[in-house]
């Protein structure tokens, strides 16, 4: 039986609770939520909100929009709870759902934005000031800023593949692009990021 | 292999996606090219940093009240099991049998060609249609609850079939409106409804097995 001792980053579950017990608790919460128990669903939200908000934030780069996407993802999860078959952790089921919400929003925003011909804020598209780049702990911030300069498709694939570890086939299923396109987008994203991050 | 070739393949190289020959060529180039070695180092450094982006981030405010407010305005989608659904359907079909005076999915018998008979027939047809509609709605609800377990192409094919059947039902209804006692049209209406029920039953069973 696996203990959570080696995976302390999985939220607030105490070290002494064992993985099977945690899954059993989660299954019980899901069963209650399915029967309409809102407090059980709230517990599922509390256990997964940071994961889903983090993913939405990386995908869209906008904290305020990430809040909306997170809310939408959980409302969608409530509606689709019956399709969760319990073969994976609840969070694994939530991730593709949240990706779908984020990409759907992006597509609809892009349709709206097609009417616009100018943008006022070019900062996200500029390279970071090399003098402002730093070594060490702040390099993560550099990466986050560089990420915002990527085209949306390349950004999504980089986040899903290199940050979250999804395979190209999984990304293809979530985003609706071919696996080959996902590979090409990843190659492009990595090249652009290296260019932006060069000292 | 030259530097542009390496640049083109570096991503696949670090992912282990290159074939043996390309892998060997690229390694040979890397062994002697300082510029490409630097590119490789930068790429590997990027890949070391990337998983840090997957860390959890707490939302700046509690999002639950907004989620709960939206959820409260909706009904929880009903939990369907195949057993409970089939039991409900059986009850519905039994009622259908009583209403039609025969088996629910058998052709409807023609009646006398009188105005009174025509009016009675129209009312019976309306009730028959309501019952069929209720049964198909139940099956559609089960299907919708399980649609994620079916491949998208299967769902697309099912939806196309259902649209064709609905079109056919529409045409039969138009014809029946002018002659509700026509035995051939009555038969066609019942058999078309039956076709829809059968198609839905089949795909619901399929979804339950996946």
């Amino acid at each position: 039986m696996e203990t959570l001792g080696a995976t302390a980053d999985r939220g607030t579950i105490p070290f002494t609770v064992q993985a099977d017990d945690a899954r059993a608790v989660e299954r019980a919460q899901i069963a209650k939520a399915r029967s309409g128990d809102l407090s059980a669903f709230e517990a599922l939200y509390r256990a997964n909100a940071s994961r889903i908000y983090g993913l939405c934030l990386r995908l869209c780069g906008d904290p305020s929009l990430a809040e909306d996407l997170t809310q939408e993802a959980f409302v969608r999860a409530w509606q689709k709870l019956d399709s969760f078959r319990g073969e994976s952790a609840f969070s694994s089921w939530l991730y593709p759902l949240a990706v779908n919400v984020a990409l759907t929003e992006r597509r609809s925003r892009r349709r709206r934005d097609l009417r616009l011909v100018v943008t006022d804020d070019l900062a996200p598209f500029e390279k970071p000031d090399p003098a402002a780049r730093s070594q060490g702990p702040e390099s993560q911030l550099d990466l986050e800023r560089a990420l915002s300069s990527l085209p949306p498709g390349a950004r999504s694939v980089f986040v899903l593949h290199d940050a979250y570890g999804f395979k190209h086939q999984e990304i293809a299923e979530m985003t609706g692009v071919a696996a080959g396109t996902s590979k090409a987008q990843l190659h492009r994203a990595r090249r652009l990021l290296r260019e932006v991050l060069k000292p | 292999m030259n530097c542009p070739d390496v640049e083109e393949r570096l991503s696949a190289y670090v992912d282990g996606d290159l074939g043996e020959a390309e892998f060997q060529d690229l390694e040979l180039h890397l062994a002697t090219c300082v510029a490409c070695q630097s590119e490789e180092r930068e790429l590997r450094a990027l890949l070391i940093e990337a998983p840090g982006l997957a860390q959890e981030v707490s939302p700046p405010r509690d999002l639950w009240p907004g989620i709960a407010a939206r959820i409260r305005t909706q009904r929880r989608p009903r939990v369907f099991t195949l057993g409970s659904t089939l039991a409900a359907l059986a009850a519905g079909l039994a009622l259908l049998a009583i209403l039609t005076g025969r088996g629910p999915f058998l052709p409807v018998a023609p009646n006398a060609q009188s105005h009174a008979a025509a009016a009675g027939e129209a009312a019976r047809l309306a009730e028959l249609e309501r019952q069929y509609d209720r049964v198909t709605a139940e099956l559609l609800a089960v299907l919708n609850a399980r649609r994620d377990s079916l491949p998208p192409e299967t769902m697309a094919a099912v939806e196309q079939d259902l649209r064709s059947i609905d079109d056919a039902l529409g045409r039969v209804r138009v014809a029946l409106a002018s002659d509700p006692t026509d035995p051939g049209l009555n038969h066609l209406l019942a058999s078309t409804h039956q076709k829809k029920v059968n198609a839905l039953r089949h795909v619901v069973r399929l979804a339950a097995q996946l």
Side-chain angles (χ1 to χ4, degrees):
Chain A
M1 192 180 288
E2 179 199 359
T3 68
L4 291 181
T7 54
D9 59 339
R10 289 188 197 171
T12 57
I13 301 169
F15 277 34
T16 52
V17 177
Q18 296 189 313
D20 287 352
D21 294 338
R23 288 293 292 277
V25 168
E26 187 178 85
R27 276 198 295 271
Q29 287 167 338
I30 290 165
K32 284 183 180 175
R34 274 180 166 161
S35 66
D37 185 334
L38 211 54
S39 64
F41 191 67
E42 181 180 359
L44 290 166
Y45 161 79
R46 303 264 171 229
N48 292 282
S50 299
R51 293 188 181 99
I52 298 306
Y53 178 76
L55 173 64
C56 292
L57 182 61
R58 300 311 178 208
L59 287 173
C60 77
D62 177 342
S64 174
L65 179 57
E67 289 181 22
D68 294 344
L69 296 175
T70 302
Q71 287 188 319
E72 180 62 31
F74 277 98
V75 170
R76 204 79 66 87
W78 168 263
Q79 292 166 339
K80 296 168 79 81
L81 210 48
D82 287 337
S83 67
F84 176 62
R85 289 190 276 171
E87 291 160 356
S88 61
F90 185 61
S91 58
S92 302
W93 179 75
L94 275 176
Y95 278 134
L97 201 147
V99 170
N100 189 267
V101 166
L103 297 187
T104 301
E105 191 284 334
R106 179 191 295 159
R107 279 192 283 270
S108 101
R109 183 157 35 97
R110 194 167 50 202
R111 279 196 292 275
R112 289 195 303 272
D113 291 350
L114 281 176
R115 302 186 195 111
L116 301 176
V117 292
V118 295
T119 176
D120 294 330
D121 182 12
L122 295 175
F125 303 97
E126 292 170 355
K127 290 176 75 166
D129 177 3
R133 281 206 70 204
S134 57
Q135 302 295 318
E138 290 186 21
S139 61
Q140 192 74 37
L141 294 176
D142 293 333
L143 177 55
E144 291 190 23
R145 183 167 180 198
L147 196 61
S148 70
S149 70
L150 290 184
R155 176 197 180 104
S156 296
V157 173
F158 178 79
V159 166
L160 295 172
H161 188 279
D162 284 352
Y164 282 84
F166 287 103
K167 295 181 169 59
H168 286 295
Q169 190 53 45
E170 293 171 316
I171 294 169
E173 285 163 12
M174 283 189 274
T175 62
V177 302
T181 306
S182 174
K183 283 185 183 176
Q185 292 273 38
L186 181 65
H187 171 66
R188 184 183 181 206
R190 288 170 170 176
R191 183 173 50 75
L192 290 172
L193 284 172
R194 276 186 288 135
E195 282 174 16
V196 172
L197 290 168
K198 271 189 197 299
Chain B
M1 193 173 279
N2 55 28
C3 294
D5 292 335
V6 170
E7 169 59 35
E8 192 60 35
R9 290 163 179 77
L10 203 52
S11 192
Y13 169 71
V14 298
D15 286 342
D17 283 347
L18 284 185
E20 184 60 28
E22 280 191 317
F23 177 84
Q24 295 293 349
D25 284 351
L26 194 144
E27 289 233 304
L28 204 60
H29 179 92
L30 272 182
T32 57
C33 178
V34 175
C36 286
Q37 286 170 11
S38 171
E39 291 292 334
E40 186 208 357
R41 270 197 306 277
E42 287 174 13
L43 176 54
R44 291 197 186 276
L46 175 66
L47 298 187
I48 289 169
E49 276 188 53
L53 293 171
Q55 65 192 353
E56 296 179 15
V57 182
S58 295
R61 63 187 175 89
D62 187 2
L63 303 177
W64 174 250
I67 295 168
R70 287 182 59 189
I71 285 174
R72 283 195 188 97
T73 63
Q74 305 170 359
R75 278 183 58 198
R76 268 272 324 121
R78 253 182 82 186
V79 180
F80 291 102
T81 63
L82 203 54
S84 68
T85 304
L86 292 178
L89 283 173
L93 296 180
L95 179 58
L96 206 56
I98 294 166
L99 285 165
T100 57
R102 338 169 40 122
F105 300 124
L106 295 175
V108 178
N111 260 347
Q113 299 289 319
S114 68
H115 288 302
E121 193 68 8
R124 191 187 60 78
L125 277 176
E127 185 55 35
L128 182 77
E129 288 242 70
R130 271 196 292 277
Q131 291 302 318
Y132 268 116
D133 287 345
R134 195 184 62 73
V135 170
T136 52
E138 291 269 338
L139 284 164
L140 278 168
V142 179
L143 180 59
N144 281 329
R146 295 172 181 268
R147 63 186 302 135
D148 286 350
S149 58
L150 287 165
E153 56 271 24
T154 303
M155 274 309 299
V158 168
E159 283 166 352
Q160 190 176 348
D161 281 351
L162 293 178
R163 276 195 297 275
S164 300
I165 294 172
D166 284 339
D167 286 347
L169 279 171
R171 287 194 293 273
V172 177
R173 285 183 191 119
V174 168
L176 270 170
S178 56
D179 187 1
T181 59
D182 183 281
L185 290 174
N186 272 280
H187 178 93
L188 196 55
L189 183 75
S191 64
T192 309
H193 270 300
Q194 175 68 72
K195 191 175 174 186
K196 187 172 183 179
V197 168
N198 286 347
L200 283 166
R201 277 175 167 166
H202 176 74
V203 73
V204 163
R205 285 206 180 91
L206 180 66
Q209 289 162 4
L210 292 176

